[in-house]
Amino acid sequence: MSIPETLQLSLGPVLFYWTRERYANFYREAADWPIEIVYLGESVCSRRRDMKLDDWLGLGRELTQSGKQVVLSSQTLIESEADLRDLRKLCDNGELIIEANDQSALHHLSAARAPFIAGAALNLYNPATIGVMARAGMQRWHAPVEMSRDDLARLLADCRAEGLDQPCEVFAYGHLPLAWSSRCFTARRYRKPKDRCQFVCQKHPEGLPLRSQESKEVFTLNGIQTLSGACQDLRHEVGDMADMGVGVARLSPRAEGMAK
């Protein structure tokens, strides 16, 4: 697979719950991978507290020294005032640009006139919305993961016609993030309440497969997040993606095989 010069590769935030040692080892290796952009941070569950903001910033500094553009991803589902306090602290970190994954982050960043990346969960489907985001400080936007190739091609063409040149990012590899819930499905699998989950999702570094009665993988459970059962793989589409005008192809981290 050859990567067109006009297309960058990004490494998305780790969606699963890993140990501190596993994060450190993973990003130590990632520093040498042929990727231009690295997203860091906990975007799924506020109870996953092994890594603090200072830890992510430390990793970010190391990756920046390795020549990577580093982005901090915000939490996608905000459920409490404590979540909002953590979000404000993240947005005001003073070092790294933020990927806004919900309206709370978007509101805080736009009010502060801070540049940001628009995550896929913001659901940007038309040039009018993308224009509003661009005027608010958006530097790049991630296409909704359910958007078809043809719809995305039309959207990119319409954006060019409107003079909107912010790069578009596409989820190119990994389990697709589909939904978030206030319930923790992994804790429920172990018959534990969400607020006393004992962090059982850490037992599943690539999520918990949910199979049909025919033993087909339908979904992947990841705490409060539901992912696709199958792994999206667009590595053979990168040429067409570049021709369409896609600027960045995102690779979502998995526990094994990412270097390859």
Side-chain angles (χ1 to χ4, degrees):
M1 180 186 69
S2 61
I3 306 298
E5 293 184 1
T6 58
L7 189 73
Q8 292 183 310
L9 291 182
S10 71
L11 188 67
V14 175
L15 300 179
F16 308 106
Y17 190 24
W18 293 354
T19 62
R20 289 173 60 89
E21 181 181 8
R22 187 163 210 154
Y23 286 122
N25 292 337
F26 180 82
Y27 287 112
R28 191 177 300 116
E29 293 182 19
D32 296 325
W33 294 345
I35 50 178
E36 289 78 19
I37 304 165
V38 179
Y39 292 81
L40 298 175
E42 177 54 57
S43 64
V44 178
C45 179
S46 61
R47 287 182 55 77
R48 299 175 177 180
R49 301 189 185 100
D50 282 22
M51 296 287 287
K52 310 296 185 185
L53 176 57
D54 287 344
D55 297 318
W56 292 120
L57 289 173
L59 284 175
R61 295 183 194 111
E62 294 175 7
L63 289 164
T64 299
Q65 291 175 358
S66 299
K68 312 300 185 189
Q69 177 194 339
V70 182
V71 181
L72 286 178
S73 294
S74 74
Q75 194 174 316
T76 304
L77 182 62
I78 301 295
E79 299 186 81
S80 66
E81 181 58 38
D83 288 351
L84 284 172
R85 287 196 299 269
D86 289 342
L87 175 65
R88 296 184 195 109
K89 186 177 178 181
L90 181 83
C91 292
D92 297 335
N93 75 88
E95 293 187 46
L96 300 176
I97 192 170
I98 300 297
E99 178 187 40
N101 285 310
D102 88 317
Q103 294 296 324
S104 302
L106 178 61
H107 174 76
H108 187 86
L109 292 163
S110 59
R113 299 186 180 277
F116 63 91
I117 312 300
L122 292 184
N123 296 323
L124 306 184
Y125 290 104
N126 58 70
T129 304
I130 292 170
V132 170
M133 294 290 187
R135 291 188 291 275
M138 181 184 73
Q139 305 296 298
R140 182 170 64 247
W141 57 281
H142 195 301
V145 297
E146 70 274 14
M147 182 173 281
S148 71
R149 169 181 172 157
D150 291 345
D151 287 342
L152 180 58
R154 283 192 291 270
L155 176 56
L156 291 172
D158 290 343
C159 286
R160 287 192 292 271
E162 295 287 340
L164 300 169
D165 57 0
Q166 289 75 19
C168 170
E169 188 166 356
V170 165
F171 194 102
Y173 181 82
H175 293 282
L176 292 165
L178 302 177
W180 293 259
S181 171
S182 59
R183 292 185 176 185
C184 178
F185 299 109
T186 307
R188 189 168 184 174
R189 161 67 177 79
Y190 284 90
R191 301 179 185 275
K192 298 182 184 299
K194 179 183 176 183
D195 57 355
R196 295 191 301 276
C197 65
Q198 299 180 10
F199 309 107
V200 289
C201 55
Q202 207 165 49
K203 296 180 180 180
H204 303 281
E206 285 201 14
L208 182 62
L210 180 63
R211 296 182 174 88
S212 68
Q213 291 182 337
E214 294 76 26
S215 296
K216 294 183 178 180
E217 292 187 356
V218 181
F219 297 113
T220 300
L221 301 183
N222 176 37
I224 67 170
Q225 183 186 54
T226 301
L227 304 164
S228 62
C231 181
Q232 168 127 304
D233 187 353
L234 301 181
R235 73 182 79 180
H236 300 299
E237 308 293 332
V238 291
D240 289 344
M241 289 163 62
D243 292 341
M244 288 167 53
V246 173
V248 181
R250 179 179 296 202
L251 316 177
S252 186
R254 301 181 68 190
E256 304 293 340
M258 285 305 298
K260 180 180 178 181

